[in-house]
Structures are given as C-alpha cells and as structure tokens.
Amino acid sequence: MIKVAAFVPLKLNSRRLPNKNFLRLGNYPLAYHVFNTLLTVESVDSVFCYTSQPQVLSLLPSNVELLMRPRHLDGDGVKANELFLYAVENIDADIIVLCHATGPFIGADSINKGIQAVLSGKYDCAFAVQKHQTYSWFMDKPLNYDPTNMEQTQDLAPIFCETSGFYIFRKDNYLKSGSRIGATPFMVEVDVRESIDIDEPADFNLASHMFSYNPHVTSYSRDTFFVDLANQSSQHKNISHVSFDLDGVLIDSIELMDESWAYAMKIMDLRYPFSEYKKRIGMPFLEILKSMGVDKKYYAEIEELYNRYSAENIDKIKKFMSINDGLKRLKSVGIKISLVTSKNKDRTSEIMSRHFDKDIFEAIITPADIPSERGKPNPDPILLACVQLGVDPYNTLYVGDMEVDREASKRAGTHFVYANWGYGDLTKVKDVWFNCFDDLVEFIVS
C-alpha cells in the first residue's frame, strides 16, 4: 500500500519577520493553520513537524508528530535542498507532501488534488501555482504578448507562478534528483487567498485582513458592486417597465419538469435525457424538442404526456421567496410589470391564479399570444409586452435565468438582468446579476 506523509519545517527565529511562525492569526499561532489543514486530508497518513525545538508541538494540533531536525540545519546559510533532504531520508513514506507554515490558507482540496495526480502515475510531482493572465514582462522583454499586436487579456497565454503552498513528490525521485520538481509536474491552480505566503510584515498584515475572506462568494451588496442601469446614459435614465421570465425566476418548477419529462419518456419508451432538455428551458416546448433532435412523430404525444403530468402535479411548483412582496413594491413606485414565458397559456393561467395576486401583471405573454409564433430566443414576445404596455424597450428591464432569455432581451433592445437563483449558468457573459429577488427589487427601486 502506498504511504503518504507530510512535513512542515518549523523554527522559532526568522530574519525578516521575527517569530513569524507564532504570530497570532485568528485564535491560533500562524503555524497551527497549515498543520490543522494537513490533518484533514484523508490521503495523508502522517503529519510531521520538522523542528529542532520540540517544545513548539504544544502550540500545534495534538496529532502532529515530531521529526527532529539537527541543530546544524537551523542556520540561515543552509540551502533548501539540504534542509529537505534530511527530512525526506528520515520519513517512511512513498509520497511526501512538503508545506510551509507561512502558507496558512492552503486548502485541503488543493493538496488532495496534487496527491491524487501523483498517485495516478501520470505525474511525478505536483505543486501549487497562481495563474496570472495579464501583460507580463521578463528580463526587460514582453513575455506573453506582442506590444504591436495586443490581444485582450482573456486571450493571453497565462503565466503560472509557484506559491510555495505545497510540493508533492515521490521519495525515491527526490533522493535521486535532489529536487522537489520532477520531469512530469502537475500544477494545482489555487486562488488568491490560498496563494498568500508570509515573509514580510506586510504579508502578515494582508493575511490578517484575509482571514475571513472567501474568494468563492459572488454575492455583492448594492453598495459594493453594481452596474447602474438607470444612469448609464441620458436615454436610459428611467426604467419604467420590468418584464419577468417565469420558470427559474418567479417559480421553482425544475423538480416537476424533471418528473414530467421522465414520465413522458417512460410511457413512450424513449431515452432523451432531461439534462439536454434543461439546457433549453426558456424556449417553447416544441422548439426544445426540435433542438434536441427528437423525431417529429413523437412531438404531440410527448407534449400531451408532459403537460398532463405537470397539470396533475402542479402543487409541486413552489414560488421563490419574497416574490409577491417584491412585485407589489415595484408597482408601488409606478413601475409596470409583465410576464414573458414559454410555458403554454393554460398552465400559465393556472400557476398565476394559484401563486400570484390578481392583476399583478399588466401583461402576460405566452407562445399562444405571439402572432408571429416566434418564441424566445426571438425578441417577439418581449417586444409584444412592450407594445401592450406602451413602453420603450430602452426603458425596459428583462429578468431571466437562461441564455435564451439573455439573447431575446438583447435582440429586443431591452436591458437584461440575470437571476442567479435560477437554472442557467451565465457566469461567463452576465453583466448584471443578483442572487436573490429582494436585492433585485432594491436595486430597481433605488
């Protein structure tokens, strides 16, 4: 069985930031954090503190083991490979993980990803890197772009910089080469917080501020991030009309959609996956079938079965939180609201009567209402809502959760807001988005 062990070199004194390994970060010494993380990595069998001062173990998690470091290896003149070699020689393991106390935020998932890469046999080592995709120079020359023919930054070849967060390698390879980097390395990209390495006082100050920072949170309050649609230009000063998609924006119907689709497929003994249907939510039903490549001879029966199951189980549809109160608030400040959906007219009417106050929407557009019979992503249904309410598309905001919604809005000439609580994933293209309905309403009203 392959054995994996991790070690962290640790000493009391340091030159640039005295006693940095034991400065208070949160409720523990700086050094505590990386050991605590390593103990949570299931693929790591043993975690060693590599030190000549065993008393420091009292400040670390209880399961950390001691690897005594000879005093002569404490000197500032000792080279890194000399320091690491002693530890590697004296650790009984096939794969070794080297971490540093100065990287307190390195994540267990990142470490495990590196270990799995080495265990696979495809790579002989792994290490943490931070990706930089910007105009870069090295030795007074541009490194990844041509200044006379500049590309946009998202199209540049990225630069990957080692972070010192961790190095993972096979023991026998290190003993042969004396290097923690092998011939076939695997780079594990880490986020800005994980990449922090503390050498200077300024680094520790940054780490203290970043202690509670979560780089994966994408919800922003209105006072920290928003694109002010209402003031982009003189012609867009007033949003007087907000139009909403239905499924995924006002109601949560994905479970019933899945069940209705499965019911139709089972009855007809077909194998078209719901995952493909889900990608096309927002289009008229028959257009979804056409886009999926379903044989036209099945259209009518699939639609009948799907609609029957949906109608019989309509109680499974839930309304997202705060919808009615938010709609009332929009109307209270004089904003007209409409509904533009690809759901059929009968089911739309039943959902409206069950879940929404009467006359809350001043226009309701379903595929049956469109003379051209062109549903989303065509602009016709949104434009029809504007015509019925007598408002200019430039003063209209369309709220949707799928790419077809965004495309229809763009082609209609209206503004678009992405409902991040819905079913789509517009992370690469969204301009304005909100994670909850309350925030959206607050933005519009304010």
Side-chain angles (χ1 to χ4, degrees):
M1 182 176 177
I2 296 178
K3 193 173 182 181
V4 180
F7 78 97
V8 180
L10 198 61
K11 62 179 181 178
L12 286 172
N13 298 320
S14 55
R15 285 184 297 175
R16 285 174 287 185
L17 183 56
N19 298 315
K20 66 180 178 183
N21 291 325
F22 302 96
L23 291 170
R24 179 182 293 274
L25 183 62
N27 294 322
Y28 295 97
L30 170 62
Y32 180 96
H33 297 282
V34 69
F35 285 103
N36 192 51
T37 297
L38 285 167
L39 288 169
T40 68
V41 181
E42 291 185 4
S43 50
V44 173
D45 300 300
S46 304
V47 178
F48 295 94
C49 174
Y50 179 37
T51 183
S52 63
Q53 296 151 319
Q55 65 270 30
V56 302
L57 262 70
S58 64
L59 300 173
L60 304 179
S62 59
N63 290 337
V64 174
E65 302 178 48
L66 173 65
L67 175 62
M68 278 297 293
R69 168 170 157 180
R71 286 279 184 175
H72 73 271
L73 294 178
D74 285 345
D76 291 332
V78 175
K79 293 182 178 180
N81 280 344
E82 182 183 358
L83 174 66
F84 301 150
L85 178 61
Y86 181 89
V88 172
E89 288 177 333
N90 287 276
I91 291 176
D92 179 20
D94 304 287
I95 294 175
I96 293 179
V97 181
L98 164 61
C99 288
H100 296 281
T102 52
F105 302 132
I106 197 66
D109 287 345
S110 297
I111 295 170
N112 188 58
K113 188 181 295 184
I115 292 172
Q116 296 307 315
V118 176
L119 283 172
S120 73
K122 186 176 179 181
Y123 306 94
D124 60 6
C125 69
F127 52 90
V129 297
Q130 187 177 21
K131 177 182 176 180
H132 298 275
Q133 196 161 2
T134 188
Y135 305 114
S136 303
W137 288 67
F138 179 71
M139 300 291 286
D140 297 326
K141 294 181 180 179
L143 184 61
N144 63 340
Y145 80 105
D146 179 358
T148 65
N149 184 25
M150 293 179 65
E151 300 176 275
Q152 293 187 342
T153 53
Q154 62 264 32
D155 296 324
L156 293 175
I159 306 298
F160 295 93
C161 300
E162 295 181 32
T163 71
S164 299
F166 61 80
Y167 294 88
I168 301 167
F169 46 84
R170 293 186 176 275
K171 176 175 179 175
D172 54 357
N173 287 352
Y174 189 94
L175 295 178
K176 291 175 184 176
S177 66
S179 174
R180 56 193 180 184
I181 304 294
T184 54
F186 179 78
M187 294 188 294
V188 180
E189 187 179 339
V190 298
D191 60 44
V192 62
R193 184 173 183 266
E194 285 186 275
S195 68
I196 288 178
D197 185 55
I198 299 170
D199 280 325
E200 308 280 354
D203 300 328
F204 184 77
N205 187 35
L206 174 62
S208 298
H209 286 288
M210 294 283 278
F211 186 75
S212 300
Y213 168 68
N214 183 351
H216 304 295
V217 170
T218 56
S219 174
Y220 300 94
S221 63
R222 186 178 179 276
D223 61 349
T224 55
F225 171 81
F226 69 97
V227 178
D228 191 354
L229 288 177
N231 293 291
Q232 279 185 353
S233 68
S234 58
Q235 64 179 345
H236 299 156
K237 272 193 174 180
N238 297 305
I239 298 298
S240 58
H241 170 214
V242 181
S243 184
F244 295 93
D245 179 36
L246 181 58
D247 294 286
V249 174
L250 301 179
I251 61 171
D252 185 4
S253 54
I254 195 69
E255 180 182 348
L256 181 55
M257 288 184 190
D258 193 353
E259 291 182 7
S260 300
W261 184 258
Y263 173 78
M265 293 298 102
K266 181 179 180 181
I267 295 297
M268 299 186 65
D269 195 25
L270 297 175
R271 298 291 183 270
Y272 297 102
F274 180 73
S275 59
E276 290 301 312
Y277 180 96
K278 184 179 178 182
K279 294 176 184 177
R280 297 162 173 83
I281 292 174
M283 299 168 62
F285 190 83
L286 296 183
E287 287 298 316
I288 292 178
L289 300 186
K290 181 179 178 181
S291 176
M292 290 177 64
V294 175
D295 193 316
K296 195 171 183 178
K297 66 183 180 183
Y298 298 132
Y299 284 14
E301 189 173 357
I302 292 176
E303 184 177 28
E304 191 277 328
L305 291 168
Y306 183 97
N307 286 339
R308 183 205 306 168
Y309 187 94
S310 296
E312 292 173 352
N313 295 275
I314 198 167
D315 289 339
K316 293 188 176 183
I317 291 177
K318 306 298 180 185
K319 186 171 52 182
F320 287 113
M321 290 182 61
S322 307
I323 296 296
N324 273 344
D325 289 342
L327 294 176
K328 288 178 182 177
R329 190 176 178 203
L330 291 176
K331 294 198 74 170
S332 72
V333 296
I335 292 175
K336 297 180 178 182
I337 60 176
S338 67
L339 179 72
V340 173
T341 176
S342 294
K343 196 176 290 295
N344 72 49
K345 196 173 190 69
D346 290 341
R347 295 191 60 237
T348 299
S349 297
E350 187 172 0
I351 291 169
M352 291 296 102
S353 64
R354 282 172 173 259
H355 290 292
F356 296 94
D357 294 346
K358 186 179 180 181
D359 300 327
I360 190 72
F361 294 98
E362 294 163 85
I364 297 177
I365 308 299
T366 70
D369 301 302
I370 307 168
S372 66
E373 299 183 352
R374 298 191 333 148
K376 295 181 289 186
N378 296 295
D380 305 36
I382 298 176
L383 288 174
L384 181 57
C386 293
V387 169
Q388 288 191 4
L389 297 181
V391 294
D392 196 308
Y394 285 104
N395 299 117
T396 295
L397 191 68
Y398 188 66
V399 183
D401 67 319
M402 302 294 291
E403 177 58 34
V404 292
D405 299 324
R406 180 178 180 272
E407 185 178 344
S409 175
K410 181 180 179 181
R411 291 166 64 179
T414 64
H415 300 291
F416 177 72
V417 162
Y418 170 52
N420 199 28
W421 60 88
Y423 308 143
D425 181 9
L426 303 185
T427 54
K428 294 183 179 179
V429 294
K430 62 194 180 192
D431 301 311
V432 182
W433 74 96
F434 295 92
N435 281 343
C436 70
F437 195 77
D438 285 341
D439 287 349
L440 168 64
V441 172
E442 180 65 30
F443 167 73
I444 296 169
V445 170
S446 298

